[in-house]
Amino acid sequence: MNISAILLAMVVVGGTGLLIAILLGIASEKFKVPVDEKEVAIRAELPGNNCGGCGYAGCDGLAKAIANGEAPVNGCPVGGAAAAEKISAIMGVEAGEFVKKVAFVKCAGTCEKASDKYQYSGVQSCIEAMNVPGAGPKGCEFGCMGFGSCAAVCPENAISIVNGIAHIDEEVCVGCGKCAETCPKALIDLVPENKKTRVQCSSKEFGKNVMSVCKAGCIGCKACEKVCKLGAIKVENNIAQIDYDKCVGCGLCAGKCPKGIITGKKLVPKKPAPKKEA
């Protein structure tokens, strides 16, 4: 091969490479996706758990929604107040009040208080047990089966099974909501951490049927509803429901509940003083 042929080959290869580089440069400019600097900055302040507790498909989705004004700056339950403050500074708005939420299991049916319909020997999974007759072995079809499907998905190890029912460590819980999504009986709610008055039952059966399978169930007697002066607790579908926007945690409902399944401060209502005879 002579020198001229070698030089020609080098020119062709070099020219081809240069042409490709130019075309790639033009394409990258033409088709590049504009980057929102706010979105990038917001994403950097999010914890990266990608838990979905914010309602979006991971931290990237939430960051984009906040940057577009479609989600609140305090929308990350894991990042909490600290993340909300930093993100609000990026967005140039007020962070607003951040209320931490924690998971709460609406069942007090421990092994001693709740009966079983039969002995279950299948896969230790609440989801799998729901496929057997009667929606699991527990006598109360609304009660916690205690097989730990919620604990298995908790990224913070905040859930343990104690005496047959799921127990939440509120100091560890970040309120991501994965356990609530997993529970096949919808027994877990996210509630304000600072609201300690909660109903530990979810049965919608009438009182007699509740008591036949669980000593700790709500019987729908409405004693709590009648004593609440703020209308913060109502019995609907045979189960007491708390309106946390109205509840002040006075403890009157907890003190009045004959089954003792309302948590929090228990203030026993005072009996009216007897009338004096004239």
Side-chain angles (χ1 to χ4, degrees):
M1 183 179 290
N2 56 35
I3 296 177
S4 60
I6 295 174
L7 291 175
L8 179 61
M10 292 176 62
V11 170
V12 171
V13 172
T16 302
L18 179 62
L19 179 61
I20 292 174
I22 293 172
L23 291 175
L24 287 175
I26 294 172
S28 64
E29 285 297 318
K30 185 175 180 61
F31 298 108
K32 74 176 181 180
V33 178
V35 177
D36 188 332
E37 294 182 1
K38 283 187 177 181
E39 181 181 333
V40 174
I42 291 169
R43 179 62 184 85
E45 300 301 338
L46 295 175
N49 292 43
N50 292 315
C51 61
C54 58
Y56 292 87
C59 295
D60 289 344
L62 177 60
K64 184 175 182 179
I66 293 175
N68 292 338
E70 299 169 356
V73 294
N74 58 2
C76 176
V78 179
E85 185 176 350
K86 293 176 181 178
I87 294 172
S88 66
I90 295 170
M91 293 296 292
V93 298
E94 292 292 329
E97 182 183 6
F98 179 83
V99 178
K100 180 186 176 182
K101 290 189 175 183
V102 294
F104 172 68
V105 181
K106 299 179 292 184
C107 180
T110 59
C111 296
E112 293 82 12
K113 295 178 180 179
S115 62
D116 288 336
K117 296 189 287 283
Y118 50 81
Q119 185 175 355
Y120 177 77
S121 58
V123 178
Q124 297 295 294
S125 162
C126 305
I127 299 171
E128 294 295 332
M130 282 290 288
N131 295 322
V132 302
K138 200 150 197 171
C140 174
E141 293 186 9
F142 298 90
C144 175
M145 290 183 283
F147 294 136
S149 291
C150 54
V153 299
C154 179
E156 305 296 328
N157 295 320
I159 306 177
S160 55
I161 305 302
V162 180
N163 204 6
I165 60 175
H167 173 76
I168 310 293
D169 185 339
E170 294 188 9
E171 292 186 2
V172 179
C173 177
V174 296
C176 69
K178 281 192 173 182
C179 56
E181 293 175 0
T182 299
C183 179
K185 294 190 176 183
L187 279 175
I188 304 177
D189 279 347
L190 293 180
V191 299
E193 183 186 35
N194 59 349
K195 300 287 186 176
K196 302 301 183 182
T197 304
R198 304 165 189 169
V199 180
Q200 283 185 293
C201 184
S202 61
S203 176
K204 295 177 177 60
E205 294 283 357
F206 288 103
K208 183 179 179 180
N209 294 335
V210 172
M211 294 307 298
S212 69
V213 294
C214 183
K215 298 177 182 177
C218 175
I219 56 177
C221 65
K222 296 191 178 184
C224 55
E225 180 179 316
K226 293 173 183 176
V227 79
C228 181
K229 303 179 186 302
L230 301 175
I233 188 165
K234 298 286 185 183
V235 175
E236 300 175 351
N237 295 323
N238 300 316
I239 183 72
Q241 308 278 356
I242 296 177
D243 184 341
Y244 289 110
D245 290 332
K246 296 179 180 178
C247 178
V248 295
C250 68
L252 284 171
C253 59
K256 193 68 174 178
C257 177
K259 306 306 298 179
I261 52 108
I262 302 180
T263 67
K265 180 173 65 175
K266 290 177 169 55
L267 180 64
V268 179
K270 294 181 179 179
K271 295 182 179 179
K275 295 181 179 179
K276 295 181 179 180
E277 296 182 2

